[in-house]
Amino acid sequence: MRDVLIVQNSRSGGPGRLGGWLEEAGLRLDVVPAYDGAPLPARLSHDAMIMLGGGFLPSDDDRAPWLATARSLVAQALDEGVPLFGICLGGQMLAEVAGGEVTPDAGAPENGSLPVTLRPEAADDALFHSLPEVVPAIEHHVDAVTALPPGAVWLAQTTACPYQAFRVGEQAWGVQFHPEVLPVRIREWRVDGFDPDEVYARAVADEPVSTPIWREVATRFAKLA
């Protein structure tokens, strides 16, 4: 059975429904709670890797000392063509490791289910091809990628945060949104300027549309492993 390393960078930021989709597609999950002191492997021996989100910047080593090892694993995945999917912090880490830029408190925060617009470049992408032009996705961030790595393919955007999805090389993807999150998780988030009931209700309304789309993306990723 093929294995996927899943790096968990915060207590509440587990793989969520993404884990179930990957298992359904035939992958075995190796979830490492790095936030809780569990050691990350020094070398990546898995068939694929998921780098989850967390309330840090990619190089915030003083607050999260395991991030240095996490970045080295991302670099190895890029060098060796191991399929990699980075979510929120994980996507920012991919951008930074590959030579892009990440900026704290970049523009207006995004919170809850928002319309993400796919760019024409997504038509030829292994994960994002043939999806609807506008897809609902759950967001929760203030930091953002502000410059893509050299040669990266820009796949999706929102008005407030242009770099919502991108690909580096042929096997590594970063997204700013959270395809793994169900609407109930939004109840745990409190962001100034957002009505929590309104944000939750919008996510519940969007969920029947978003779920089959992100399940398909997860299945496509699993097939690459």
Side-chain angles (χ1 to χ4, degrees), residues 59-92:
S59 297
D60 207 353
D61 296 356
D62 290 342
R63 297 172 59 210
W66 69 88
L67 291 178
T69 303
R71 291 194 303 275
S72 71
L73 292 172
V74 168
Q76 183 189 342
L78 286 173
D79 289 343
E80 299 180 5
V82 177
L84 166 66
F85 195 82
I87 295 172
C88 199
L89 165 62
Q92 295 167 5

Side-chain angles (χ1 to χ4, degrees), residues 33-192:
Y35 71 90
D36 201 28
L40 289 170
R43 293 283 300 169
L44 182 61
S45 60
H46 299 70
D47 301 292
M49 181 167 69
I50 307 283
M51 186 67 64
L52 295 172
F56 309 102
L57 289 165
S59 297
D60 207 353
D61 296 356
D62 290 342
R63 297 172 59 210
W66 69 88
L67 291 178
T69 303
R71 291 194 303 275
S72 71
L73 292 172
V74 168
Q76 183 189 342
L78 286 173
D79 289 343
E80 299 180 5
V82 177
L84 166 66
F85 195 82
I87 295 172
C88 199
L89 165 62
Q92 295 167 5
M93 186 181 297
L94 169 61
E96 188 173 285
V97 168
E101 295 180 6
V102 177
T103 303
D105 297 319
E110 292 184 304
N111 191 48
S113 183
L114 300 173
V116 174
T117 300
L118 297 189
R119 293 171 54 82
E121 294 89 338
D124 298 323
D125 184 74
L127 298 190
F128 286 83
H129 70 85
S130 306
L131 300 183
E133 181 179 355
V134 179
V135 182
I138 290 178
E139 308 268 1
H140 185 56
H141 72 102
V142 294
D143 308 329
V145 175
T146 49
L148 289 179
V153 179
W154 185 10
L155 299 171
Q157 63 190 54
T158 62
T159 301
C161 179
Y163 301 124
Q164 286 289 333
F166 61 94
R167 188 183 75 247
V168 177
E170 296 301 320
Q171 299 266 67
W173 288 265
V175 299
Q176 185 57 71
F177 50 85
H178 287 273
E180 83 283 12
V181 167
L182 283 166
V184 66
R185 174 85 182 282
I186 293 174
R187 289 294 197 188
E188 303 173 13
W189 299 339
R190 292 293 180 266
V191 181
D192 291 342

